[in-house]
């Protein structure tokens, strides 16, 4: 039974929970619980795994009896067997076990998302015949109108799971070296990803709030994961305070929306707003509060203050994950709320966004120039990139939405890659990376430095790298929507940004190594980072040279709002 | 006939060679050099095949096209016409010579050759691309190897020069990208193909704005006064081969871009801005010459002479006369040969003495006669001595310009006189007089170095004596472009007049 059909059938009361709609979240969440269980079980790991095996098999049988879906049953059963087998093999190496199970969890999330895509994307195309004006982002939704199943949700889930999948191998040895490889790390990653994917799919403002809380709580802990590192503590504290503050503003905004329209459902509230004849101050206040809440999460100037501190303080793999996945999730919700639900009110938010986009692009780029700490610099660059994404959002068009989705995917890969190389280099010196620490790295370690150079050029948007594809997509949407002046600002910002990206390359390849560099321990190349970095490098190149498939997927994602 | 994609090969061979070189072991020095040289020689051979198949008519020949990103209307289209033909040949001709000139490079030779070869691929791509996004991709892709070449293998102040070069070019390029996107949506053609975008009709204001965006990209490349300040730094700090490629080929992208994009796309704006560009060209000629005269560093002097020479090229193009424009195309090739040769010679000298101070040398002609002889010959070509190639380009430029805008031609003639001054004066100081200072005990050119110079000398003489084969191939395309631009601008002006008359 399809989700689409079920919405029409059940107008009242008890929502029939369409599990299929939130299947990626379920996978991530269950795997998170499993990782937690296996880690806490200690010496009784094998027994715990056996219990989990029993529960999963029981679940499989129950699912088979309920739905008659043999494939589902087989998959759940297989998951049970697999985790038991893995536990049996790695029962003495809990971190390795967690890492593998977490990776499999993300792969499962990707798989389920692909299945959803295959199911819904096909269906929606038949719905959108000629003349049928589909909304840009989903308005139909399931589970008591709480969750949307549309291209934006599915594409963002894809990005988030991919980011998680790459984060695991990149961070493995780093966490080991820094002695922060504690058991909670992997479950927290999975729970954060659960929150993110749910946020990307939220069709109700309450759901938006809840999923933001889910992901934020996990991220607060992950940020402060390096307990002995003061900066990590400081970052977590700042993140927590400002995050709580922004959540409160968001919630207040939700309350005002409810006050004006009588609903927290994004689509319904949007319809109610567009039916309003008087432009009440309350509407504007609600918009403003929502906007501030989202701007905090997507780190737009002037609500970006936490970003550099948190990016700098958090353990580097966590920073990479945060940069890649949180942004994708938050922007997906951003798009759904403003471009989807409140498009009719664009007169109220578009001009504000325009200004915010300008100051974000310029501010992020200019402030990045004066940074000496690499992670901080990348933090500011993340701000500038958020500004470019805003162009796609402001275009309020299908091209814009697909540009945003593509940008976020590519940005995720680029930032994971650059933070991944930093992770590698930081392990060598066991300290934070200042720009000066990179001197001469290119001569000593040409391959990692070359990868870093590639990611930086991609971040700068130089063809033929993925970054160019991303910029092209949003610039294209922007100019099509008549935002040429905004695109010109973006161009100026890109040039400023290119300066500091290129400066890093200069330092890596064109400066001599500092005296005493020979005394530093050699780079410890383990399998994890190699796998992660090769994967990101390859995708960044492929997305730059032959982006066709991904453009298709992104524009398909922007075209079905089922 | 069109079975072998010759133009694609021109890009693919150097690119593939660069990849192969990058994969070789860093210790296999002779393998790196051999493979690189072989790749560039094959590329040159293929370009000669292109020349053989080229017919002296207007329009694009040997066209190739394939879908690349159809979702966005971006395609892979290549083609060659009279404007691009000799610039491509210049690139493929210069490249084996530069590879030979870098033979003794001891440090990180692998990266060095890989950079040069990937740059060749991008440069050829820029001249052949017939899709605006493809053009942009090559335009920017060329930046990275050049930047690395200056920044890694350059001299003392290289980092500053490298970043400056990168940012200047990027600024221009990005504005051009915005203009390209705007053109795309204005045309409604759903394609970035050159021919499709050519059909777009724009208002005068749009034309002016887009013209300025493209102008930003090309004026920086040329470089036109006052956008030239990156050039002396880049040239001075770049290693010899970097300077050669920069002067011989990369600067030509500016002139090429004006002819290929600015004139056909924005004829009205071209006519409107032509006086400004002519003025900037004239300023470039005179300013470049005067500043060159004041230089104490011989490499910087030649760098400023490029500003002056390319000022001529811009004058020839924006005089909007077919003779002048054809002269500009030929002059771009000539400048590539002469200035490329000068930079190579300076490189040979620098390898020996590690000094570029004009004052440090005296009596070179007696100390190193072969070197001195070739230098004098090349300098003569650079100051447009009749019978050598410089004259074959500059004379038609002045001739054409005099017919349409006499004042520019008159002003530019002073540039010719000044060129004689700023090139002969250092010649006199460095090569005549007693053998003193650094010239003492200097070794004359080695066989390898002579082998590099001979093809250049031969071409300089050949073009100077008999430039007809060049003009035969260049003229049809250039005349068509210029005539079309003038005609469309006149039509637009007439339409505006009628409109205002009502």
């Amino acid at each position: 039974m399809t989700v689409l059909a079920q919405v029409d059938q059940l107008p009242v009361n008890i929502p029939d929970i369409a599990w299929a709609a939130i299947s990626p979240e379920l996978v991530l969440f269950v795997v998170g619980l499993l990782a937690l269980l296996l880690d806490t079980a200690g010496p009784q790991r094998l027994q715990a795994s056996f219990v989990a095996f029993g529960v999963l098999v029981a679940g499989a049988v129950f699912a088979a009896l309920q739905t008659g879906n043999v494939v589902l049953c087989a998959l759940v059963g297989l998951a049970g067997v697999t985790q038991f087998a893995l536990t049996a093999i790695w029962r003495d190496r809990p971190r390795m076990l967690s890492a593998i199970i977490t990776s499999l969890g993300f792969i499962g999330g990707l798989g389920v998302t692909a299945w959803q895509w295959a199911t819904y994307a096909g269906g929606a195309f038949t719905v959108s015949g000629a003349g049928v004006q589909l909304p840009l982002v989903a308005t139909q939704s399931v589970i008591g109108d709480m969750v949307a199943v549309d291209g934006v949700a599915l594409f963002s889930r894809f990005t988030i799971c991919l980011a998680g999948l790459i984060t695991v191998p990149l961070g493995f040895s780093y966490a080991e070296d820094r002695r922060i490889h504690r058991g909670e790390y992997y479950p927290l990653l999975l729970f954060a990803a659960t929150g993110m994917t749910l946020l990307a799919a939220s069709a109700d403002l309450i759901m938006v709030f809840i999923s933001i809380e889910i992901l934020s709580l996990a991220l607060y802990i992950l940020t402060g994961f390096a307990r002995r590192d003061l900066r990590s503590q400081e970052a977590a504290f700042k993140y927590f305070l400002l995050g709580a503050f922004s959540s409160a503003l968001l919630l207040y905004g939700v309350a005002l929306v409810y006050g004006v329209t009588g609903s927290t459902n994004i689509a319904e509230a949007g319809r109610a707003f567009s039916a309003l004849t008087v432009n009440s101050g309350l509407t504007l206040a609600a918009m403003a509060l929502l906007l501030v809440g989202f701007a905090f999460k997507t780190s737009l100037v002037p609500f970006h203050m936490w970003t550099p501190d948190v990016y700098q303080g958090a353990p580097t793999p966590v920073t990479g994950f945060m940069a890649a996945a949180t942004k994708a999730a938050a922007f997906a919700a951003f798009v759904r709320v403003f471009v989807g639900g409140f498009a009719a009110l664009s007169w109220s938010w578009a001009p504000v966004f325009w200004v915010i986009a300008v100051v974000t692009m310029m501010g992020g780029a200019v402030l990045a120039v004066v940074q000496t700490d690499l992670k901080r610099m990348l933090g500011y660059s993340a701000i500038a990139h958020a500004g470019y994404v805003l162009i796609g959002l402001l275009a309020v068009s299908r091209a814009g939405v697909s540009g945003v989705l593509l940008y976020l995917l590519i940005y995720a890969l680029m930032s994971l890659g650059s933070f991944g190389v930093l992770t590698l280099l930081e392990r060598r010196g066991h300290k934070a990376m200042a720009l000066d620490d990179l001197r001469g790295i290119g001569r000593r370690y040409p391959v990692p430095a070359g990868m870093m150079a590639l990611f930086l050029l991609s971040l700068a948007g130089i063809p033929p790298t993925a970054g160019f594809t991303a910029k092209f997509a949003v610039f294209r949407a922007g100019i099509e929507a008549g935002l040429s002046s905004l695109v010109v600002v973006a161009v100026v910002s890109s040039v400023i940004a290119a300066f500091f990206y290129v400066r890093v390359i200069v330092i890596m390849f064109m400066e001599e190594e500092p005296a005493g560099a020979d005394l530093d321990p050699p780079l410890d190349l383990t399998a994890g980072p190699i796998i992660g970095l090769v994967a990101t490098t390859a995708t960044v190149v492929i997305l730059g040279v032959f982006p066709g498939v991904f453009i298709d997927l992104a524009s398909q994602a922007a075209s079905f709002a089922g | 006939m069109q079975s072998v994609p010759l133009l694609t090969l021109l890009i693919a061979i150097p690119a593939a060679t660069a990849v192969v070189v990058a994969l070789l072991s860093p210790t296999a020095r002779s393998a790196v050099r051999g493979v690189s040289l072989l790749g560039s020689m094959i590329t040159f051979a293929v370009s000669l095949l292109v020349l053989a198949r080229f017919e002296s008519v207007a329009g694009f020949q040997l066209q190739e096209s394939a879908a690349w990103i159809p979702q966005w209307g971006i395609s892979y289209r290549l083609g060659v016409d009279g404007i691009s033909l000799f610039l491509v040949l210049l690139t493929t001709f210069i490249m084996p010579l530069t590879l030979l000139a870098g033979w003794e490079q001891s440090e990180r030779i692998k990266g060095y050759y890989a950079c040069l070869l990937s740059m060749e691929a991008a440069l050829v791509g820029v001249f052949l691309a017939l899709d605006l996004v493809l053009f942009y991709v090559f335009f920017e892709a060329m930046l990275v190897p050049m930047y690395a070449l200056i920044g890694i293998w350059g001299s003392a102040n290289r980092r500053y020069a490298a970043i400056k070069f990168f940012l200047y070019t990027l600024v221009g390029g990005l504005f051009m990208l915005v203009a390209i996107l705007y053109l795309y949506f204005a045309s409604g053609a759903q394609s970035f193909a050159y021919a499709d975008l050519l059909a777009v009709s724009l208002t005068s204001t749009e034309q002016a704005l887009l013209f300025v965006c493209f102008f930003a990209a090309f004026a920086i490349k040329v470089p036109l006064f006052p956008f030239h300040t990156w050039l002396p730094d880049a040239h001075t700090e770049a290693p010899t081969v970097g300077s050669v490629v920069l002067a011989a080929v990369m600067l030509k992208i500016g002139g090429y871009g004006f002819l290929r994009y600015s004139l056909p796309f924005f004829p009205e704006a071209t006519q409107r801005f032509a006086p400004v560009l002519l003025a900037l060209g004239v300023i470039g000629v005179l300013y470049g010459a005067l500043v060159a005269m004041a230089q104490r560093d011989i490499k910087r002097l030649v760098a400023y002479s490029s500003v002056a020479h390319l000022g001529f090229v811009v004058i020839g193009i924006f005089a909007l006369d077919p003779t002048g424009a054809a002269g500009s195309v030929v002059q771009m090739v000539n400048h590539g040969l002469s200035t490329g040769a000068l930079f190579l010679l300076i490189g040979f000298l620098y390898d020996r003495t590690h000094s570029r101070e004009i004052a440090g040398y005296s009596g070179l002609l007696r100390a190193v006669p072969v070197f001195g002889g070739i230098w004098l010959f090349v300098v003569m070509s650079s100051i447009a001595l009749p019978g050598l190639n410089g004259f074959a380009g500059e004379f038609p430029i002045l001739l054409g310009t005099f017919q349409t805008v006499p004042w520019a031609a008159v002003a530019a003639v002073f540039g010719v006189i000044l060129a004689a001054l700023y090139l002969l004066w250092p010649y006199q100081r460095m090569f005549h007089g007693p053998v003193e200072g650094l010239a003492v005990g200097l070794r004359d050119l080695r066989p390898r170095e002579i082998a590099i110079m001979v093809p250049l000398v031969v071409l300089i003489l050949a073009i100077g004596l008999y430039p007809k084969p060049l003009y035969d191939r260049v003229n049809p395309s250039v005349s068509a472009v210029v005539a079309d631009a003038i005609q469309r601008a006149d039509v637009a002006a007439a339409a505006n007049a009628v409109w205002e008359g009502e």
Side-chain angles (χ1 to χ4, degrees):
Chain A
M1 133 182 229
T2 75
V3 178
L4 294 174
Q6 163 234 325
V7 178
D8 298 332
Q9 289 165 11
L10 285 178
V12 272
N13 277 332
I14 316 149
D16 174 17
I17 297 182
W19 295 108
I22 51 165
S23 44
E25 285 78 16
L26 290 176
V27 170
L28 293 174
F29 185 64
V30 169
V31 175
L33 285 182
L34 180 67
L36 198 58
L37 171 76
L38 292 181
D39 191 83
T40 43
Q44 281 86 43
R45 190 158 291 124
L46 211 53
Q47 288 91 318
S49 175
F50 191 70
V51 173
F53 171 70
V55 172
L56 282 170
V57 168
V61 172
F62 179 75
L65 290 177
Q66 281 283 318
T67 62
N69 191 334
V70 186
V71 180
L72 178 66
C73 165
L75 282 176
V76 175
L78 186 67
V81 176
T82 313
Q83 62 89 16
F84 188 66
L86 289 172
T87 315
I89 298 169
W90 276 291
R91 61 174 166 275
D92 299 325
R93 294 187 63 194
R95 300 301 168 257
M96 183 57 105
L97 178 65
S98 296
I100 290 174
I101 287 185
T102 309
S103 306
L104 287 177
F106 282 120
I107 292 174
L110 283 175
V112 175
T113 309
W115 167 75
Q116 284 188 320
W117 189 287
T119 313
Y120 297 117
F125 268 115
T126 55
V127 174
S128 64
V132 180
Q133 189 64 36
L134 268 178
L136 281 174
V137 186
T139 46
Q140 282 184 311
S141 43
V142 290
I143 316 183
D145 288 344
M146 279 290 176
V147 177
V149 181
D150 63 357
V152 174
L154 297 193
F155 198 93
S156 308
R157 276 175 180 155
F158 179 72
T159 306
I160 293 160
C161 290
L162 198 63
L165 184 60
I166 296 172
T167 305
V168 174
L170 279 181
F172 188 83
S173 315
Y174 176 91
E176 200 85 328
D177 274 12
R178 294 273 165 119
R179 299 168 189 279
I180 53 169
H181 217 184
R182 293 197 299 278
E184 315 85 279
Y185 177 66
Y186 292 105
L188 281 171
L189 268 185
L190 284 161
F191 294 150
T194 310
M196 289 168 185
T197 49
L198 206 53
L199 176 60
S202 298
D204 192 290
L205 289 171
I206 292 297
M207 201 67 202
V208 168
F209 176 74
I210 292 173
S211 35
I212 283 187
E213 289 305 294
I214 296 175
L215 78 92
S216 298
L217 286 175
L219 285 180
Y220 298 148
I221 306 172
L222 282 173
T223 305
F225 216 64
R227 268 191 306 207
R228 287 176 209 81
D229 185 349
L230 265 182
R231 270 194 321 246
S232 175
Q233 298 303 301
E234 182 195 330
F237 193 60
K238 266 187 190 157
Y239 194 19
F240 175 67
L241 275 185
L242 284 172
F245 185 58
S246 71
S247 296
L249 287 178
L250 187 75
L251 194 59
Y252 199 11
V254 175
L256 288 185
V257 169
Y258 184 76
V260 178
T261 65
S263 169
T264 55
N265 182 279
I266 294 170
E268 223 164 279
R271 279 193 291 276
F273 271 129
S274 51
L276 281 183
T277 44
V278 194
N279 304 324
S280 76
L282 214 52
T283 309
L284 288 179
M287 285 296 125
L289 285 168
L290 284 181
L291 197 154
V292 173
F294 276 115
F296 260 112
K297 286 294 160 201
T298 48
S299 61
L300 302 175
V301 178
F303 309 105
H304 66 285
M305 305 297 181
W306 60 274
T307 314
D309 292 324
V310 173
Y311 274 39
Q312 185 184 14
T316 313
V318 174
T319 312
F321 179 65
M322 223 156 41
T326 317
K327 196 156 261 173
F331 265 110
F334 211 150
V335 165
R336 176 160 299 105
V337 170
F338 285 95
V339 179
F342 303 162
L345 284 174
S346 62
W347 56 268
S348 71
W349 53 262
V352 182
F353 276 14
W354 199 93
V355 175
I356 287 184
V358 170
V359 292
T360 304
M361 288 188 283
M362 295 310 291
V366 170
L367 288 171
V369 170
V370 294
Q371 303 305 320
T372 52
D373 183 283
L374 267 172
K375 277 161 82 181
R376 231 182 142 73
M377 188 201 92
L378 286 174
Y380 278 108
S381 110
I383 296 172
H385 281 277
Y388 307 143
V389 177
L390 264 191
I391 297 179
L393 201 149
L394 266 169
V396 196
S397 64
R398 277 187 211 295
V401 174
S402 79
V404 168
L405 293 175
L406 196 62
Y407 203 106
L408 291 169
L409 172 67
I410 290 173
Y411 178 74
L413 292 167
M414 301 188 292
S415 63
L416 279 170
S418 46
F419 280 111
V421 177
L422 280 190
T423 308
L424 204 61
L425 296 175
E426 278 184 356
R427 285 180 54 211
R428 179 170 170 242
H430 287 276
K431 58 175 180 181
M433 293 303 282
L435 275 175
D436 267 355
D437 297 332
L438 284 178
R439 281 198 328 215
I441 285 286
R443 220 165 274 215
R444 192 168 282 261
Y445 302 111
V447 175
M451 285 177 168
M452 187 71 179
L454 176 80
F455 296 130
L456 290 169
L457 288 174
S458 180
L459 283 166
I462 306 292
T465 58
F468 171 67
T469 312
K471 274 208 177 120
F472 192 87
V474 292
F475 286 6
R476 185 178 173 277
I479 290 184
E480 189 181 22
L483 298 169
S484 300
S485 44
L486 206 55
V487 174
V488 169
V489 176
V491 162
V492 175
S493 153
S494 302
V495 173
I496 300 173
F499 169 73
F500 57 79
Y501 294 131
V502 167
R503 190 177 53 177
V504 177
I505 302 179
V506 167
I507 288 169
M508 285 196 301
F509 285 92
M510 304 173 193
E511 304 243 2
E512 298 302 320
E513 268 187 308
D518 291 330
L519 302 177
D520 278 354
L523 207 56
D524 186 12
L525 274 174
T526 39
I530 294 180
I531 297 171
L533 285 176
V534 167
T536 38
T537 308
T539 39
V540 163
V541 172
I542 291 170
L543 270 160
V545 182
F546 296 111
V549 177
F550 293 90
I551 295 171
D552 274 342
L553 285 178
S555 58
Q556 198 181 344
S559 68
F560 71 92
Chain B
M1 236 4 228
Q2 195 46 39
S3 50
V4 185
L6 284 183
L7 301 186
T8 299
L9 283 180
L10 281 180
I11 300 170
I13 295 172
T17 315
V19 173
V20 170
V21 165
L23 294 177
L24 286 172
S25 152
T27 47
R29 298 170 52 86
S30 44
V32 168
R33 292 192 289 218
V35 169
S36 308
L37 191 63
L38 185 71
S40 66
M41 296 289 264
I42 297 175
T43 316
F44 180 56
V46 174
S47 69
L48 288 180
L49 262 178
V50 172
L51 177 66
R53 293 223 182 138
F54 189 85
E55 290 160 34
S56 302
V57 289
F60 293 105
Q61 305 178 29
L62 302 172
Q63 287 202 45
E64 294 166 23
S65 72
W68 180 25
I69 312 177
Q71 295 87 347
W72 287 341
I74 301 171
S75 54
Y76 173 83
R77 274 168 209 274
L78 302 177
V80 65
D81 72 348
I83 302 174
S84 53
L85 176 68
F86 288 104
L87 293 172
V88 170
L89 278 165
L90 177 69
T91 315
T92 57
F93 169 76
I94 285 283
M95 204 45 83
L97 301 182
T98 48
L99 290 176
L100 266 176
W103 213 244
E104 304 287 306
Q105 178 66 34
S106 52
E107 218 182 322
R108 293 199 262 183
I109 183 166
K110 229 174 70 165
Y112 189 72
Y113 277 111
C115 273
L116 278 171
L117 287 162
S118 47
M119 195 146 55
E120 177 176 13
L123 283 166
V124 172
V126 162
F127 293 129
L128 292 180
L130 285 186
D131 179 282
L132 269 71
V133 174
L134 187 67
F135 171 74
Y136 176 79
V137 167
F138 283 127
F139 187 88
E140 296 278 285
M142 163 193 74
L143 243 173
V144 179
M146 191 66 210
Y147 156 76
L149 213 55
I150 298 175
I152 298 179
W153 293 278
S155 46
N157 203 9
R158 59 182 192 271
R159 289 180 287 272
Y160 168 76
I163 288 195
K164 195 169 175 183
F165 164 77
F166 193 95
L167 291 183
Y168 261 73
T169 318
L170 190 67
V171 173
L174 279 169
F175 277 104
M176 184 173 74
L177 178 67
V178 174
I180 290 174
L181 281 166
Y182 192 94
L183 265 177
Y184 170 78
F185 287 111
S187 75
Q190 300 299 313
S191 154
F192 283 98
Y194 182 78
D196 291 334
L197 290 185
L198 209 52
V200 64
S201 64
L202 300 164
T203 66
S204 312
T205 327
E206 279 174 332
Q207 278 211 17
L209 282 173
L210 296 181
F211 180 88
V212 169
C213 284
F214 273 84
F215 171 79
F218 299 141
I220 289 171
K221 270 280 175 224
V222 169
L224 205 56
F225 178 90
F227 307 102
H228 66 283
T229 61
W230 63 270
L231 179 85
D233 288 315
H235 264 317
T236 319
E237 303 304 332
T240 304
V241 293
S243 300
V244 173
V245 175
L246 197 61
V249 188
M250 209 172 271
L251 303 185
K252 308 307 180 297
I253 293 170
Y256 169 77
F258 282 135
L259 269 175
R260 171 72 80 234
Y261 297 101
S262 300
L263 258 63
F265 281 120
F266 320 113
E268 216 186 318
T270 300
Q271 201 142 48
R272 191 157 142 199
F273 288 116
V276 180
L277 275 131
L278 285 170
L280 289 179
V282 168
I283 293 175
V285 168
L286 300 177
Y287 170 89
L290 289 172
V291 177
M293 245 183 272
Q295 297 305 314
R296 276 179 294 184
D297 180 327
I298 184 73
K299 207 171 175 189
R300 237 182 143 77
L301 184 148
V302 178
Y304 274 106
S305 85
S306 285
V307 176
H309 277 125
L310 288 156
F312 266 107
V313 171
V314 171
I315 293 172
I317 293 170
F318 284 94
L320 295 179
D321 176 85
T323 316
S328 286
V329 174
V330 173
Q331 182 60 9
M332 285 199 274
V333 178
N334 290 336
H335 174 260
L337 296 173
S338 320
T339 310
L342 276 181
F343 276 123
L344 282 168
L345 288 170
I346 292 171
F348 298 153
L349 195 61
Y350 184 78
D351 285 345
R352 288 166 168 74
T353 62
H354 295 279
S355 167
R356 295 185 304 244
E357 285 281 306
I358 295 171
Y361 297 96
S362 174
L364 279 174
L365 196 56
R366 213 170 305 164
V368 279
V370 180
F371 178 87
I374 297 179
W375 179 281
L376 181 61
F377 182 82
V378 176
V379 160
M380 286 305 162
S381 120
S382 193
I383 58 180
L385 189 77
L388 297 180
N389 65 349
F391 181 74
E394 268 177 26
F395 183 69
I397 292 180
L398 292 174
L399 193 71
T401 309
F402 195 79
Q403 286 167 5
T404 50
V405 261
W407 63 267
V410 171
V413 167
F414 285 103
V416 182
I417 300 165
L418 286 173
L421 259 173
Y422 66 74
L423 281 169
L424 287 178
W425 199 12
Y427 169 77
Q428 191 188 355
R429 285 194 281 170
M430 288 172 76
F431 289 80
H432 290 187
V435 180
E436 270 174 14
L438 293 166
V440 180
L442 210 56
R443 223 195 118 159
D444 210 338
L445 292 185
R446 294 186 188 84
R448 175 177 62 86
E449 292 164 338
I450 295 176
I452 296 172
M453 297 313 294
V454 166
L456 286 165
V457 168
V458 169
L459 265 185
I460 286 174
L461 192 63
I463 296 177
L465 291 177
Y466 192 59
K468 188 167 176 295
L470 264 78
Y471 280 106
D472 280 349
R473 289 170 176 77
V474 170
N475 267 333
S477 299
V478 171
S479 306
V481 164
V482 173
D484 185 53
I486 292 172
Q487 189 230 335
R488 281 169 59 197
D490 287 347
V491 168
N496 279 348
V498 169
W499 204 60
E500 277 158 20
E502 284 172 3

